[in-house]
Structure formats: C-alpha cells, structure tokens
Amino acid sequence: MVEDGKRQGSDQGPPTEADLDARRRALESKLAAYEQQRTSGTAPVGQAAVEPSGLVKLFRFSADFVSGVIAGALIGWLVDRFAGTRPWGLIVFLLLGFATGIYNLVRSAQRANRGG
C-alpha cells in the first residue's frame, strides 16, 4: 500500500514511532473535520447530502402518529384498570393520544419541510 509517498509493507520493516505518530495526527485531523461537518449538517467533501427516501419519511410519520395513539390507549386502559372508571379513561386518553399523534405528525412534517 502506498501512502504519502512511502511504501508500507513487509519490504521496509515495522513502522517507526514517528511514522505512527504522524498517521495518528492525520487521522485525528480527518476525524475532527468529519465531526465538524456532521454537526454543522454539511455533507463530507466529495459526497452529496443524503435525503431520506419517501418510504423512510412515511414510516417516520406513521410511527409518530401511531405511538401517540398507542400511548394514549395504554394510559387510558391503566387508568380504567386501577381507578375503575371503565370505559371513560380509555375513551378520554385515546382521544388525547390521537390529538398528540396529530401534533407529532404536524411537527415531523414541518421538520421534514424545513429540511432537517
């Protein structure tokens, strides 16, 4: 393998401490640049930004909605079970879960529309 004009392999023997230190510093600088690009939201040099496909967005939206409804139904069932208010706890919390699911869906759609 040729790297930085030096041939590495069994021909030259083991790398020296200075060679390893230089490779470590180069790797650290590349990792720092990659981390900065990742946190700033820009794509690495030479690569296009990856947009999630429509199917991925659909699953994310459906998961946001369904999780709110399921959480509401579960809380309502637990309230009914322990408070003895059957079926009112389930009805009320199912409606609250539905509203929360719609709210999460709208928030996710706005976030996707902004591009983040």
Side-chain angles (χ1 to χ4, degrees):
M1 177 193 293
V2 177
E3 186 175 314
D4 296 332
K6 297 179 183 177
R7 182 174 173 92
Q8 294 180 350
S10 60
D11 298 347
Q12 252 184 0
T16 64
E17 189 72 30
D19 292 338
L20 293 175
D21 194 41
R23 288 174 59 193
R24 182 187 51 82
R25 281 195 304 273
L27 180 61
E28 285 175 349
S29 67
K30 286 179 185 179
L31 287 174
Y34 179 76
E35 181 66 25
Q36 181 186 11
Q37 289 172 345
R38 189 178 70 83
T39 57
S40 69
T42 60
V45 177
Q47 293 181 359
V50 177
E51 277 291 317
S53 69
L55 191 59
V56 170
K57 288 180 183 179
L58 174 72
F59 281 127
R60 186 177 302 154
F61 292 158
S62 63
D64 285 341
F65 177 72
V66 170
S67 64
V69 174
I70 289 175
L74 181 65
I75 292 171
W77 180 79
L78 288 172
V79 165
D80 281 343
R81 176 137 174 118
F82 293 112
T85 58
R86 189 169 289 158
W88 294 107
L90 181 63
I91 292 170
V92 168
F93 280 99
L94 190 61
L95 290 174
L96 286 173
F98 182 78
T100 302
I102 294 291
Y103 176 73
N104 288 339
L105 185 63
V106 168
R107 258 190 13 208
S108 293
Q110 287 174 344
R111 194 176 324 126
N113 200 19
R114 281 192 308 253

